[in-house]
Amino acid sequence: SGNKMSSQTTKVVLSLNATEVNLLKEGLNFKKNPEDGFCYIIFKSKDGLKACKNQCKHQGGLFIKDIEDLDGRTVKCTKHNWKLNVSTMKYVNPPDSFLQDQLEVLDDGALQLLELSPVHPWLTDPRETLELQEGEVKVTYLTHACMELQLGQKRFMFDPWLKGPAFARGWWLLHEPPDDALDRLCAADLIYISHMHSDHLSYPTLKVLSERRPDAPIYVGGLSRPVFWYLEQSQVKLTNINVTPFGVWLNIDEHLRFMILMDGVHPEMDTCIIVDYKGHLILNTVDCTRPNGGRLPQNVDLMMSDFAGGASGFPMTFYGGKYTDSWKTDFIKTERRKLLNYKAELVRSLQPRIYCPFAGYFVEAHPSDKYIKDTNVKNTAEDLNALINKLAPDIKTWTPKPGAVLDLGLALKDSSNSEAISNPPTNAKVYKDSWEFDLYVEEINSAISCEIFKHQSWIQFYYTWAGFKNYNLVVRIIESDDHFEPLRDGYDYLVDFLDLSFPTARPDREHFYIEIKNRVGVMRYVVLHGCLWDDLYIGFQNRISRDPDVYHHNLSCCF
């Protein structure tokens, strides 16, 4: 019955143009939608914007400014004087009562507030919870974000990155997957791929799958940026890709169903998944920043999420201005602590029975990235679990090693049962110590000598194809060697994105300016295959300088 339900939708409830966004003041702003008269509250702080409907969750009353609140964060309901702190979206009077439902904020200069509907789609068509037998549900950690779930007779595999690098040649597997990991992938009944980043959509891994079992059933969310668009141009031919609408139960058999949800911050790109087996929920939020707009099921049996940080070129790949090594070290430390506290707080608020941090087990292993490896310090799973154990001692935490197995039935009966988790054999290799660098780097570098790059016209062709323009930004691209020294016979050119021209000098008008040194092999590989610039940026394959030092969301969305 669940399959016939309409999928989750997003509706734009308020739009502000760039001028109106600039006029928002620090703190509370009340804004009306001129078309339907509905009012919304936007809270502006140095951390960005938060927004909600001007409607009390208690009995639907309207909020006004709370004049007793000198910090200017609280609003008061005109019906029963309930008070909401809009900076945290928590009701403070009565305390611990509700969390206000936030609206999604899409901010790229202009602003759109989005409302998800329904808000809690997993509550549709509830099922009775049946007792699990020993051995009936087993969760095996393979590597990074790859988990295998055995659910009765079915085997479900998440995000298989089992060989080769990700983000061109920037990320390599930290853990050695079990010897039979690829066999298990090829035998899986269902494979879920959360999004198109190459540590989840792994080209070398899927190439093996396409050769051995091209009709393996793969499930992806109905994203506006299709998960498989890049692989469609490659030699990977997979014939059974199922695009699943958001917020709908997909029934696999009488006991097993799953639902894919979108991310609130990157709805065009990221997804997460809820698996329901016999009424037991497993929640995997993968890399989502605010999965389902921050509204998630509480008290699930097992929750897994990313934990590590360090998965961005910022600030390690930046140079000039304030970007000294000591500034970077301080920034990374602060961000890491913020991420650790945020993840621990999220887990504490959702109260899963068992929590497992994953999707952060990567290493910048290539010798040319030693600087990144040494400076890009990440949180460990042990750090996060220790904090959760302190904040919420009732939640059982699991730090998995490759091949470790959680028996969900046993763990739910008695979380202290040592047999609920089987560790891999003592002689099993945990950490990788060799990565076949030459094989993969040579494949990338083979793009350098490609015929197209003998003709300067490729530059105009490529940027016209990408189609990003009408934006007052000038970018200088410099092809470099592995040490980011400009190549003597490499390309060095300017792109003016205002009119998509290629001037020989920077224009006289005031403009944003970015200088990017790209490793030549990766840059040309990205151009040749139409990949995202994430391979360059998240893969630490470039060095970036900005003047002024401003992030250009629009540019990063288009490349």
Side-chain angles (χ1 to χ4, degrees), residues 33 40 73 94 128 145 365 381 401 423:
N33 181 334
Y40 300 89
R73 295 163 182 265
E128 185 192 354
K401 299 269 188 292
N423 283 312

Side-chain angles (χ1 to χ4, degrees), residues 49-85:
L49 300 168
K50 287 188 169 182
C52 65
K53 282 179 170 174
N54 184 356
Q55 188 175 39
C56 180
K57 258 184 118 160
H58 177 219
Q59 287 186 8
L62 282 182
F63 289 113
I64 54 169
K65 235 173 141 172
D66 177 15
I67 49 170
E68 294 166 11
D69 171 40
L70 301 177
D71 285 346
R73 295 163 182 265
T74 312
V75 291
K76 183 169 78 174
C77 177
T78 48
K79 264 192 173 178
H80 303 99
N81 287 334
W82 279 47
K83 292 186 181 183
L84 169 70
N85 180 337

Side-chain angles (χ1 to χ4, degrees), residues 7 27 60 90 103-104 118 129 159 182 226 267 287 296 311 341 351 369 391 425 436 449 517 546:
S7 63
K90 287 178 179 167
L103 297 167
E104 296 319 309
T129 305
D159 284 329
L182 281 165
D287 287 359
L296 292 167
N341 289 326
Q351 290 288 315
D369 289 322
L391 291 175
E436 299 183 286
S449 56
K517 299 173 190 168
R546 302 187 291 211

